[in-house]
Amino acid sequence: MRLLSPALFFPAGNLQRKIRVFSFPARNIGVRATKPGMEKNRGEGSKQEGVESRIQSNPRVVKAQQLVNSDSSDGWEKAWEEGATPWDLGQPTPVMVHLHQIGALPKGRALVPGCGSGYDVVAMACPERYVVGLDISEKAIRKAVELSSSLPNADYFTFLKADFFTWQPTNLFDLIFDYTFFCAIEPDMRSAWAQRISDLLKPDGELITLMFPISDHVGGPPYKVSVSDYEEVLHPLGFKAISIVHNELAVKPRKGKEMLGRWKKSLSLL
């Protein structure tokens, strides 16, 4: 099994430890380890209420929900056409940029389902890692191509319009990164999501989940998530967490409602 940087993640068995601060290149980042299923710590109730309020009152979220929930076949396409894309940061996810820069991501082939504008695809792509960005929206894929086709690392990534649940690639992946995809699908599809992850990942591959939004709001998308939601569908397929930590590099509006999980299949079950 590939060793991970101890400055980033606690071993899965030590997730109950208290807050510690580690020294990273160029800056100090607090990484809080959390015991799975215990996302809400003492004193965080009011913070969670604020998170739920922001999600439910965000006009772009409300608009996206109206479009997606009123049209199950073309709702996501309409959301992109009307610019109702609150999940789009307009930049790569900071924690993934950091992991790439310090060499803490698996090399080989990587997949980003629900890639949207493709910022994370581009950020991870390099000579040692070929990245495939997948999205069901043609508008999203067109935007991703327009933004990235002239970049110097363009030979190391591609974008495809396809349905994650039915797409059949020729080769499996060493890494799958899920962010704002798990929370976008209806909760009753999460077991199917896990099965597809298992089918598309190499036996020794790694799944990275940036779990968002950790809250108690009602409805979606985005639907609320918790560590236990991921465990419920991944554990039966042999996945175990290498580490689960609070994402201290989350963008400001998402601070306190994201956790970073890294998962691999148990070798004893392969």
Side-chain angles (χ1 to χ4, degrees), residues 142-159:
R142 286 203 305 267
K143 181 179 179 181
V145 172
E146 291 170 2
L147 289 172
S148 63
S149 59
S150 62
L151 295 177
N153 63 338
D155 290 339
Y156 307 116
F157 60 81
T158 192
F159 293 102

Side-chain angles (χ1 to χ4, degrees), residues 41-82:
N41 294 329
R42 290 190 298 270
E44 290 190 350
S46 59
K47 181 187 294 185
Q48 287 295 330
E49 291 172 4
V51 168
E52 296 158 24
S53 176
R54 288 193 295 273
I55 291 173
Q56 293 173 325
S57 63
N58 186 324
R60 296 178 71 210
V61 172
V62 173
K63 180 65 173 177
Q65 290 175 343
Q66 291 172 343
L67 292 169
V68 172
N69 293 330
S70 65
D71 189 338
S72 59
S73 59
D74 294 324
W76 292 108
E77 189 69 37
K78 290 179 179 178
W80 278 98
E81 290 173 352
E82 298 191 23

Side-chain angles (χ1 to χ4, degrees), residues 93 96 111-113 120 124 175-179 207-208 210:
T93 306
M96 293 305 289
L111 172 66
V112 181
D120 291 326
M124 292 189 290
L175 167 66
I176 299 178
F177 173 52
D178 183 299
Y179 183 33
L207 167 66
I208 297 182
L210 193 46

Side-chain angles (χ1 to χ4, degrees), residues 17-230:
R17 291 182 182 176
K18 297 180 180 179
I19 297 173
R20 295 172 60 187
V21 177
F22 297 106
S23 175
F24 287 74
R27 64 179 294 183
N28 288 331
I29 303 171
V31 179
R32 293 180 292 160
T34 302
K35 186 177 180 180
M38 298 293 288
E39 296 84 358
K40 284 189 177 181
N41 294 329
R42 290 190 298 270
E44 290 190 350
S46 59
K47 181 187 294 185
Q48 287 295 330
E49 291 172 4
V51 168
E52 296 158 24
S53 176
R54 288 193 295 273
I55 291 173
Q56 293 173 325
S57 63
N58 186 324
R60 296 178 71 210
V61 172
V62 173
K63 180 65 173 177
Q65 290 175 343
Q66 291 172 343
L67 292 169
V68 172
N69 293 330
S70 65
D71 189 338
S72 59
S73 59
D74 294 324
W76 292 108
E77 189 69 37
K78 290 179 179 178
W80 278 98
E81 290 173 352
E82 298 191 23
T85 55
W87 56 85
D88 191 341
L89 294 181
Q91 66 179 52
T93 306
V95 71
M96 293 305 289
V97 173
H98 179 72
L99 292 174
H100 171 63
Q101 290 176 340
I102 67 172
L105 293 177
K107 298 177 182 178
R109 285 172 51 82
L111 172 66
V112 181
C115 67
S117 300
Y119 297 106
D120 291 326
V121 171
V122 174
M124 292 189 290
C126 61
E128 295 79 25
R129 185 181 307 109
Y130 188 84
V131 188
V132 177
L134 201 70
D135 206 286
I136 199 171
S137 166
E138 184 175 348
K139 175 70 174 179
I141 293 299
R142 286 203 305 267
K143 181 179 179 181
V145 172
E146 291 170 2
L147 289 172
S148 63
S149 59
S150 62
L151 295 177
N153 63 338
D155 290 339
Y156 307 116
F157 60 81
T158 192
F159 293 102
L160 300 174
K161 178 188 179 298
D163 185 338
F164 170 77
F165 293 97
T166 58
W167 179 57
Q168 296 294 332
T170 304
N171 299 300
L172 300 180
F173 294 91
D174 301 277
L175 167 66
I176 299 178
F177 173 52
D178 183 299
Y179 183 33
T180 69
F181 184 67
F182 183 88
C183 69
I185 61 176
E186 295 184 9
D188 62 5
M189 295 180 65
R190 289 174 176 176
S191 292
W193 167 89
Q195 184 62 61
R196 288 300 291 153
I197 293 290
S198 180
D199 292 343
L200 296 173
L201 200 62
K202 291 181 180 179
D204 59 345
E206 182 176 341
L207 167 66
I208 297 182
T209 57
L210 193 46
M211 298 176 264
F212 166 86
I214 294 178
S215 75
D216 286 330
H217 73 273
V218 177
Y223 296 96
K224 65 179 181 179
V225 306
S226 66
V227 172
S228 59
D229 288 334
Y230 288 82

